[in-house]
Amino acid sequence: MAHLARRALLTAAAAGALPLRARAQGLAEGSWPSGTIRIVVPFAPGGSTDVVARLAAPGIQRALGVSVVVENRGGAAGSTGTDVVAKARPDGQTWLLTFDSHAVMPVLVPRLPFDLKGDLEPVTLIGGAPYVVACRPDKPFRDLAGIVAAAKASPSGVTFATPGNGTIGHLVMTLLGSRAGVQFQHLPYRGGGPAVNDAVAGHVDMVVGSAALVAPQVAGGTLRPIAQFGPQRLPALAQVPTAEESGFPGLQAEAWWGVFAPARVPAPVVARFHEALVSAFRDEAVSKQITEGQQARLVLAGPQELGRFLDAQIETWSRVVRENEIKAD
């Protein structure tokens, strides 16, 4: 009887596992996608992440043959929308397209309702754009050495604006100050637009934001770029040195966009969605809008590369947050 009971239990367990196994096998063998695909952007409409998602959607739709919708679910530094994806069914119908703040979310947002690494699967590193520090043309700053010298001469007297506490622009200037032995006065704004406006008006010494954020003012001559924090010079800022060229090896900070899936989405589905993303961004018109409109370099790296990149970003910026006791807005 015990043997029969045990066999019955095993049979029942196997039967219960069959639907999950069959579903994963079906997804892997071509039943996916089975309907409208949802790309969740964890920020309000109008920002760069929203723009990148909407640029990609038509190409993904063509590649997969189903409707693709972009859903904005902003709030709590991106964690609200991220939680939606982390808790979504792993059926390949819901994806997350997010920004560089993803890497600092665990240390900035207390009691996250999800596990950033355990509940989400890396899919594609779309690309990156260097953070740039810029000032009004009538300001005396010409390079990072000049900024550091001014801070040494007037402790806490050199101000810089960013779109908010805990943003990568805030963190990279904090790291620069730490490495140079100086302090800068951070003025957080609620968004990049107000920060840029006050830099143009002269209410703050500098603004630190993505290349796309400051590009219109740089092109119009109302802001002068001082340095960029990318791994190499951006073609549009070919005359502006990187931080590494300015004597700060390893000091890099880029805005970046990445795509994640709920954990346990079958690997073949992740691979196929990655291929659809790559196809969408390699479209000539889309690629031009990314490289020129967002001042970004396309990377289009796969899951393993995004996973390693995210690990490095979390390690770097979490340390800066903890060591300087930085809090979110």
Side-chain angles (χ1 to χ4, degrees):
M1 291 292 291
H3 174 71
L4 289 174
R6 181 174 179 274
R7 186 167 64 182
L9 284 171
L10 290 173
T11 301
L18 277 175
L20 290 176
R21 252 190 236 131
R23 180 170 181 78
Q25 186 176 5
L27 287 170
E29 290 178 354
S31 66
W32 178 86
S34 59
T36 299
I37 284 177
R38 177 173 61 152
I39 299 176
V40 175
V41 171
F43 304 103
S48 68
T49 311
D50 182 56
V51 169
V52 170
R54 293 181 190 280
L55 284 172
I60 297 170
Q61 187 164 301
R62 286 193 299 270
L64 298 178
V66 295
S67 297
V68 176
V69 298
V70 176
E71 180 180 321
N72 297 92
R73 296 292 294 268
S79 64
T80 299
T82 301
D83 187 47
V84 169
V85 178
K87 290 181 170 56
R89 293 175 63 185
D91 56 7
Q93 300 300 128
T94 302
W95 307 81
L96 175 74
L97 198 157
T98 191
F99 193 53
D100 57 37
S101 56
H102 193 76
V104 295
M105 194 189 308
V107 71
L108 276 180
V109 181
R111 298 180 297 280
L112 280 175
F114 55 87
D115 180 345
L116 191 73
K117 300 295 293 296
D119 293 336
L120 294 163
E121 192 77 26
V123 179
T124 303
L125 176 58
I126 296 168
Y131 274 86
V132 176
V133 54
C135 65
R136 266 173 56 134
D138 59 357
K139 295 288 183 179
F141 314 116
R142 296 290 172 180
D143 50 31
L144 289 186
I147 296 173
V148 169
K152 287 182 177 178
S154 177
S156 299
V158 177
T159 58
F160 72 97
T162 73
N165 275 328
T167 57
I168 300 298
H170 176 199
L171 300 184
V172 73
M173 289 299 288
T174 302
L175 186 55
L176 170 64
S178 176
R179 290 182 58 175
V182 299
Q183 283 190 332
F184 304 108
Q185 183 180 349
H186 178 222
L187 300 178
Y189 286 72
R190 296 211 174 265
V196 167
N197 290 342
D198 266 14
V200 170
H203 301 316
V204 62
D205 291 323
M206 302 171 290
V207 61
V208 184
S210 71
L213 178 64
V214 302
Q217 287 73 28
V218 169
T222 55
L223 284 179
R224 183 180 69 244
I226 301 169
Q228 53 185 310
F229 292 97
Q232 61 269 329
R233 296 189 187 194
L234 194 69
L237 297 173
Q239 304 305 313
V240 182
T242 66
E244 291 190 323
E245 292 173 325
S246 303
F248 295 92
L251 185 59
Q252 295 183 17
E254 284 194 290
W256 57 269
W257 302 270
V259 174
F260 295 81
R264 297 177 298 283
V265 171
V269 173
V270 170
R272 192 172 167 201
F273 194 71
H274 168 69
E275 290 171 2
L277 281 162
V278 171
S279 174
F281 284 111
R282 281 185 175 159
D283 177 86
E284 185 177 353
V286 173
S287 175
K288 184 175 182 180
Q289 289 187 69
I290 294 290
T291 55
E292 295 183 7
Q294 297 300 319
Q295 297 293 303
R297 56 186 182 88
L298 281 171
V299 178
L300 302 179
Q304 291 185 345
E305 293 90 341
L306 175 55
R308 288 193 293 267
F309 175 80
L310 179 62
D311 287 344
Q313 290 289 294
I314 291 173
E315 181 181 358
T316 296
W317 302 122
S318 294
R319 187 187 311 118
V320 175
V321 170
R322 286 192 299 266
E323 290 179 353
N324 294 277
E325 299 182 349
I326 293 171
K327 307 296 181 184
D329 289 330

